[in-house]
Amino acid sequence: MKLKIPPAVVVVVFGLLMYTLAKFLPVGYFDFFGRKYLIKLLLVLAIGIVIIAQIQFFRKKTTVNPMAPSKASYLVTTGIYSYSRNPMYLGMLLILLAWGLSLGNAFNTLLAAGFVAYMNAFQIIPEEEKLQKNFGKEYQQYCVLVRRWF
């Protein structure tokens, strides 16, 4: 791995950046009908996706530790993993989007996009390299069939 920062810490850092941006850059403030419902929907989806993804890992008795992809003993490709190669990170993104909506600053979408870029560069690509070494053609075929995020 290139950088050893746990994804949960990355989410917290981006969440703090979003809060800081909303606090000190109020020009992007917005509100719309149904915003609170959308926030709740995003949170329910995020939590559901993360829980389902983790349950699938536990059932296959493989590691959920994103810092040690080389310890993966099984390639999970069914269930939610047949729609996204990274549903746990997708859940984290949805949490950040809900947080950005609750802060009500449109510029937070840029930070959410920054989260995606950061995760791709420093977490997902190094993970994929390790998984490619571990699972070879099986992982390569999986990557062709299933998108990285959604």
Side-chain angles (χ1 to χ4, degrees), residues 84-100:
S84 171
R85 295 197 312 257
N86 299 285
M88 290 185 226
Y89 300 147
L90 176 59
M92 293 175 185
L93 173 62
L94 294 175
I95 289 169
L96 284 175
L97 290 173
W99 176 237

Side-chain angles (χ1 to χ4, degrees), residues 12-144:
V12 170
V13 168
F14 273 88
L16 290 171
L17 289 171
M18 291 171 114
Y19 174 80
T20 304
L21 183 91
K23 185 88 170 157
F24 296 107
L25 186 65
V27 294
Y29 180 77
F30 69 92
D31 197 4
F32 59 89
F33 176 76
R35 182 173 72 144
K36 290 181 182 181
Y37 296 112
L38 182 56
I39 292 167
K40 289 176 185 177
L41 175 66
L42 288 174
L43 287 174
V44 167
L45 281 173
I47 293 166
I49 287 170
V50 170
I51 289 171
I52 290 167
Q54 287 186 347
I55 287 171
Q56 286 189 254
F57 268 46
F58 289 129
R59 282 186 176 161
K60 298 298 182 181
K61 295 181 174 76
T62 191
T63 183
V64 294
N65 183 356
M67 304 309 291
S70 58
K71 292 183 179 179
S73 59
Y74 187 88
L75 183 62
V76 181
T77 61
T78 59
I80 200 160
Y81 287 92
S82 63
Y83 300 101
S84 171
R85 295 197 312 257
N86 299 285
M88 290 185 226
Y89 300 147
L90 176 59
M92 293 175 185
L93 173 62
L94 294 175
I95 289 169
L96 284 175
L97 290 173
W99 176 237
L101 280 171
S102 71
L103 293 170
N105 190 305
F107 291 104
N108 278 326
T109 57
L110 297 174
L111 285 172
F115 171 77
V116 171
Y118 178 90
M119 292 302 287
N120 279 337
F122 297 106
Q123 186 67 41
I124 294 173
I125 290 174
E127 271 182 26
E128 288 179 344
E129 290 169 358
K130 296 283 186 186
L131 292 170
Q132 177 67 40
K133 286 180 186 176
N134 282 6
F135 300 105
K137 284 192 181 229
E138 183 184 2
Y139 184 72
Q140 194 172 8
Q141 289 172 335
Y142 174 62
C143 289
V144 170

